[in-house]
Every structure is written in C-alpha cells, then in structure tokens.
Amino acid sequence: MIDRLKVRVKAGLTNAQEVLYSDELYLVAINECEEIVKNKAIALAFKLDIAYYRFLMLVDVVPNERDEKNYSLAIKQLSGAVSVDGSSKKVNLVVGSRSSEW
C-alpha cells in the first residue's frame, strides 16, 4: 500500500520538493488509516483516500475540495461497511425439492 500511496502523493502534489518525503511519513499515514478503518471491509481505493488525506494533514498541506470530497465519501463508505473479524460463522442451509403439480 505504501507504493500506491507514494504514487498518489506524487500525482496529487504539484511541488517537486514535496514528493521527497521519508517512508516514515507514509507509514504513519497508513497506520492512521488502519486505525480509522480497523477491521471494516472497504475497498483499497477508499483506504488510499483516507491515507492520502491523513498524509496531507501530517505534512501541513491544505487539501483541495476534491481531496475533501474523496475523504468524506471514504468515511461514509466506512460507516456502512461490514466488520471482518476473521472468525467464521456456521450456517445451516436447508435445500428443498419441488415436485410437479401436473
């Protein structure tokens, strides 16, 4: 995920100096994202939106309107996501048969 976040930062920030951040900053942003997401099942794209927004906050860059919308949408997806805790549930399934009425 760190490589994808680096690509996103490089594409999103226009100043050439700003793409030379250390891996530690990227890892902090990813860890903050994981804390926010916890064990919710959401798409990687939404996780990247959250991590990118957290990265912008870490480096004191003001996010633009698009970044804020992406972050808000990711948080909305997170609130409706299902928790995945790794445990499996047993389900009993009854299968019936149909007979012809003719």
Side-chain angles (χ1 to χ4, degrees), residues 10 15 18 22 26 28 32 37 39 43-46 49-51 54 57 62 70 73-74 76 78 81 89 98 100 102:
K10 187 175 181 180
N15 188 350
E18 293 176 342
S22 69
Y26 292 104
V28 169
E32 288 181 4
V37 172
N39 58 352
L44 180 61
F46 292 123
D49 288 338
I50 294 170
R54 296 305 308 156
M57 297 293 106
V62 178
N70 289 343
L73 181 61
K76 285 180 185 177
L78 183 63
K89 295 181 180 179
R98 296 178 60 188
S100 174
W102 298 59

Side-chain angles (χ1 to χ4, degrees), residues 58-85:
L58 287 171
V59 296
D60 294 328
V61 174
V62 178
N64 60 27
E65 185 177 334
R66 183 192 65 199
D67 297 331
E68 289 180 359
K69 284 183 181 180
N70 289 343
Y71 181 73
S72 297
L73 181 61
I75 296 299
K76 285 180 185 177
Q77 290 293 323
L78 183 63
S79 65
V82 177
S83 293
V84 179
D85 60 357

Side-chain angles (χ1 to χ4, degrees), residues 5-55:
L5 182 57
K6 284 182 180 181
V7 170
R8 178 82 184 268
V9 168
K10 187 175 181 180
L13 299 179
T14 55
N15 188 350
Q17 295 287 339
E18 293 176 342
V19 296
L20 301 175
Y21 294 116
S22 69
D23 285 349
E24 290 179 17
L25 285 174
Y26 292 104
L27 290 175
V28 169
I30 290 170
N31 287 337
E32 288 181 4
C33 171
E34 293 297 329
E35 287 178 17
I36 293 170
V37 172
K38 294 187 182 172
N39 58 352
K40 299 279 185 160
I42 64 170
L44 180 61
F46 292 123
K47 288 182 181 179
L48 282 173
D49 288 338
I50 294 170
Y52 178 68
Y53 190 85
R54 296 305 308 156
F55 183 84

